[in-house]
Amino acid sequence: MSGNKPMKDPLALLDIASVLSDEEREIQATVAKFLADRVRPHIGEWFENAHFASELAPELGKLGVLGMHLEGYGCAGVSAVGYGLACLELEAADSGFRSFVSVQGSLSMYSIRKWGSEEQRQEWLPRLAAGEAIGCFGLTEPDFGSDPAAMRTRAVRDGGDWILNGSKMWITNGGIADVATVWAQTEDGVRGFLVPRGTPGFTTRDIKQKMSLRASITSELHFDNVRLPESARLPGAQGLRGPLSCLNEARFGILFGAVGAARDCLQTAIDYADARVQFGRPISAFQLTQRKFADMALSLGNAALLALHLGRLKDLGTLRPEQVSAGKLNNVREALAIARECRTVLGANGISLEYSPLRHANNLESVLTYEGTSEVHTLVVGQALTGQAAYR
């Protein structure tokens, strides 16, 4: 086999593409081409300068990826697997862009589509799908991440209105969002509200000095006696079922996205090893390097097949929350391990933004934590297996 070219796509080892439909392959290729043209040439600079290219939002809308798995209101209505493959390619470019699309579609838009009134859907969904407006999702608080039931943000009735007070933390898109879906305690339990940008008392502050997701906007949201009409409440949502259903949608995109980040790392490392010569031969010809690649390719293939299996279950309408937790837990963990190992193949060059593995590794540290920490997803799986909840 001496003299063969390295695989252009490590997923070709198990011929993953052969189990996709023509439409699914077309979606994946279309998104990959857009990213190759509009994101990849600039992503190292954007990461270094902590810049999110929000001007690409309308282009992403035109591409059809914003809320692409939702039906109606300008959304594409593609399959769960088609949406997952788009997330795979987005995160292969950078987690920040997959995060933007996930928050826009699976949190902001899904919350409105699932729990909103028809008037709210008509007002916001077409604009969000087109990228003409940007949404965010306010659940996590400074003191309550894994335990949202203890949130302190509160909405109280005042005549026909609501008065909202509190704060949210680590909110993707928060500083640029035109509308925030905000979850708050009320006398009737947790409820959701749509808070447009510019509403008096609603302010944001972007979080700086991040070492992860630098090509993404992460913000705090503050609500100081924010007066909202009854029409701002999401009428279908009562209790934690509302926000948790949205999070489950976002986690599904993550388990595909992690595969994209890992694939990009491994592809980068294989290409580098083929060109890097030490001791008179490419380092790809050394046994230790090939063992690293073989181990990583198997982990990557297993993660991709798991993602596809869960995507097929979602398209059948049988996917359960604990299965999403299993996919997110496994695939992010494996992707992070692959990113770190690929950095070692690159040696000193591995710390340069010219190459993607360490950037992906830094981003995946956030992905490991958000939409449920690895510890929480471990407990979700543990409860499914034993029937015993071990959260407290």
Side-chain angles (χ1 to χ4, degrees), residues 106-118:
S106 292
L107 293 180
S108 173
M109 294 175 68
Y110 181 83
S111 66
I112 298 169
R113 182 69 176 86
K114 177 75 173 177
W115 304 113
S117 67
E118 184 59 26

Side-chain angles (χ1 to χ4, degrees), residues 262-293:
R263 185 203 66 190
D264 189 69
C265 290
L266 185 52
Q267 192 168 349
T268 298
I270 291 173
D271 289 344
Y272 179 88
D274 184 58
R276 176 69 167 175
V277 174
Q278 292 288 281
F279 304 103
R281 61 198 302 201
I283 63 172
S284 60
F286 289 104
Q287 291 180 3
L288 287 177
T289 304
Q290 290 194 5
R291 178 174 180 174
K292 290 181 179 183
F293 289 159

Side-chain angles (χ1 to χ4, degrees), residues 154-177:
R154 187 163 184 85
V156 297
R157 290 186 181 274
D158 184 44
D161 294 338
W162 294 86
I163 305 298
L164 180 67
N165 281 284
S167 62
K168 301 295 181 178
M169 187 73 166
W170 304 114
I171 308 303
T172 299
N173 302 347
I176 58 172

